[in-house]
Amino acid sequence: MNLLTRRNALKLGLAGSAVLAAGNSAMAALQIVVEGANFQPLPIAIPNFASSDPAFGQEIADIVRNNLRRSGLFLPFDPATLPVQVGDVNNSPDFNIWRTANVDALVMGAVERGGQISSSVRVWDTQQASQVVGKSYNTDPNSSRRVAHIISDAIYESLAGGTGYFDTRVVYVAESGPKANRVKRLAIMDQDGANVQYLTEGNTLALTPRFSPNNDLVTYMNFEDGNPQVYILQLSSGQQQRLGSFGSMTFAPRFSPDGGRIVFSVENAGATNIYSVGVGGGQPTQLTSGAAIDTGPSYSPDGSTIIFESDRGGSPQLYLMSAGGGNAQRISYGQGSYSTPVWSPKGDLIAFTRQSGGQFNIGIMNADGSGERMLYSSFHAEGPSWAPNGRVIMFFQDPGGNDGPKLMSVDIWGRNVQTIPTDSYASDPAWSPLRA
């Protein structure tokens, strides 16, 4: 059995190199240009996948269609209106039929489930009568949704440029119970809300979970001893441990880009400063000093710089400093207070929460503080987290009253606001890297 990994799956071409080379020229013509907020989603036809189990073929195609639709870059046709109801990956399509139906982008897929799941997909440019991409995948029988997500990523990458983000997970705080006494425990799910699993029991308060680069560790704030302390949870084993004893309160943890260190805040004697320490513990390095509240640290993707929140100037603003500490420079100058900064995986943008005029805003700015733009405004919205391709941001929004928070997403152009389905109220989302 060939277990599915992204590295292996994307090596398995359905067609030979000559055909794939031809597909590259088609991709240049049939491609979404996403350089501003005024682009139109690409109409795309995705018939049900061929399968000896038609219901399974439809299920996989539905996941792919839903993924692409939610991205805001694609507009899948209603499958009931297509001239062909089931895809054929073994033969070239009748391009005239699809052109007559005003279809430019066409996806044909096949999937079979037995001792393992085998699948294949081809993307066609009907106007040029050429293939854009062809891939095949094999996996264990419990990973059918992952196959659909990786197929979605392959389509996204071939037509929208950059990398996809569908084969990812989200760790978040699942909230239940009355508003005055909420149970808050860690949960993890696929990026589309499926396959929810609970990681903590809810006996103690758990907040601000953050993924490691290797997708197997989560660091978070745990109130097990009465005061917030930073913990590390290993997903593969379920084991967790306290990071160390560094102060009366430790919180706001986040991994370094290489996964070797965790940066976090420590409260002592009324002052809050930022420290870093190796994942295995040891003596922490103090990165800021003084009487201000310094918190919310986030590394740049190259690990050289940290963005953080500080009230050293009188109100919470965003500052940059080297990863070794010192020489902090303020970069936020808008009205109101800034918090929860997080660097884009691409390194070009910083997302943040800004509170002003009685509203919360999810915004982005360039890495030097210029080009600030608000993407979403609400009574209460905060805690942005980046998709691994740097094009979509997830956050949580609380409508107030007796209702609880929910997860939402918006793209970097301020378009395509989505509500992410969860089994309970949900807050503090953290998006994983692409799965290995």
Side-chain angles (χ1 to χ4, degrees):
M1 179 186 302
N2 294 320
L3 293 180
L4 178 66
T5 67
R6 174 169 294 275
R7 179 176 296 131
N8 291 334
L10 295 182
K11 287 181 179 178
L12 298 174
L14 180 65
S17 59
V19 177
L20 290 178
N24 289 335
S25 63
M27 181 178 65
L30 183 63
Q31 194 169 38
I32 303 170
V33 179
V34 286
E35 296 179 347
N38 296 320
F39 61 85
Q40 295 297 317
L42 175 68
I44 187 168
I46 308 174
N48 290 338
F49 283 19
S51 177
S52 59
D53 179 355
F56 183 53
Q58 179 178 343
E59 175 188 341
I60 298 301
D62 280 342
I63 295 171
V64 173
R65 286 188 284 256
N66 289 335
N67 279 338
L68 297 180
R69 181 182 296 107
R70 287 198 325 276
S71 76
L73 302 185
F74 297 88
L75 188 62
F77 286 88
D78 181 346
T81 68
L82 299 179
V84 174
Q85 298 296 300
V86 178
D88 180 359
V89 296
N90 297 315
N91 298 290
S92 297
D94 184 334
F95 295 109
N96 288 328
I97 292 177
W98 293 103
R99 290 173 188 145
T100 301
N102 295 316
V103 171
D104 292 336
L106 173 64
V107 174
M108 295 291 195
V111 61
E112 293 293 346
R113 178 167 52 190
Q116 65 176 7
I117 293 175
S118 60
S119 63
S120 53
V121 64
R122 301 177 88 165
V123 180
W124 298 93
D125 180 340
T126 64
Q127 296 301 312
Q128 293 195 9
S130 58
Q131 178 176 282
V132 176
V133 69
K135 301 289 183 182
S136 63
Y137 313 92
N138 296 303
T139 184
D140 67 85
N142 297 316
S143 297
S144 59
R145 294 191 67 88
R146 279 206 67 195
V147 167
H149 293 323
I150 293 181
I151 287 172
S152 303
D153 283 336
I155 297 168
Y156 185 101
E157 292 163 13
S158 65
L159 296 176
T163 58
Y165 60 92
F166 304 113
D167 187 29
T168 57
R169 295 185 294 177
V170 175
V171 62
Y172 64 99
V173 176
E175 302 189 17
S176 59
K179 194 175 186 71
N181 189 27
R182 286 270 163 82
V183 174
K184 298 185 178 183
R185 53 179 175 162
L186 299 189
I188 191 171
M189 65 182 182
D190 295 350
Q191 52 79 28
D192 59 357
N195 294 329
V196 175
Q197 297 176 332
Y198 293 97
L199 304 177
T200 58
E201 297 296 328
N203 299 326
T204 60
L205 192 65
L207 298 173
T208 63
R210 302 289 182 257
F211 269 105
S212 67
N214 71 1
N215 262 320
D216 189 39
L217 298 178
V218 170
T219 184
Y220 71 102
M221 186 172 67
N222 190 337
F223 283 72
E224 184 170 0
D225 297 323
N227 290 318
Q229 297 291 326
V230 173
Y231 274 65
I232 299 177
L233 168 66
Q234 185 175 43
L235 295 175
S236 58
S237 67
Q239 296 181 346
Q240 59 179 313
Q241 62 182 22
R242 184 169 161 175
L243 182 62
S245 299
F246 308 125
S248 58
M249 294 174 58
T250 61
F251 54 98
R254 194 180 294 272
F255 285 94
S256 62
D258 64 3
R261 299 186 70 79
I262 292 177
V263 64
F264 58 102
S265 292
V266 177
E267 191 278 331
N268 266 322
T272 299
N273 285 291
I274 295 173
Y275 291 71
S276 72
V277 70
V279 171
Q283 185 65 30
T285 300
Q286 184 170 348
L287 304 181
T288 66
S289 60
I293 297 176
D294 298 336
T295 188
S298 173
Y299 283 97
S300 60
D302 64 4
S304 67
T305 310
I306 291 174
I307 180 80
F308 66 100
E309 164 197 344
S310 176
D311 67 353
R312 62 186 62 190
S315 66
Q317 299 291 330
L318 304 185
Y319 292 77
L320 290 178
M321 67 177 175
S322 71
N327 194 31
Q329 302 292 320
R330 179 176 169 178
I331 66 167
S332 63
Y333 289 94
Q335 295 294 321
S337 59
Y338 291 74
S339 60
T340 66
V342 58
W343 224 299
S344 163
K346 297 172 65 176
D348 56 339
L349 298 171
I350 292 168
F352 55 87
T353 303
R354 194 180 90 180
Q355 187 177 4
S356 62
Q359 289 287 103
F360 285 76
N361 303 274
I362 302 298
I364 56 175
M365 62 175 62
N366 297 327
D368 62 359
S370 64
E372 181 176 319
R373 291 189 292 119
M374 298 300 112
L375 305 179
Y376 181 83
S377 297
S378 174
F379 163 73
H380 185 179
E382 62 177 310
S385 179
W386 288 95
N389 69 352
R391 285 184 174 175
V392 184
I393 293 170
M394 192 176 295
F395 58 97
F396 71 97
Q397 190 262 337
D398 194 330
N402 292 324
D403 288 333
K406 59 185 176 182
L407 303 187
M408 302 187 69
S409 66
V410 63
D411 65 29
I412 59 173
W413 303 280
R415 303 169 71 254
N416 196 40
V417 176
Q418 301 274 332
T419 298
I420 312 301
T422 54
D423 288 350
S424 65
Y425 296 135
S427 60
D428 279 343
W431 216 319
S432 81
L434 282 171
R435 300 174 72 178

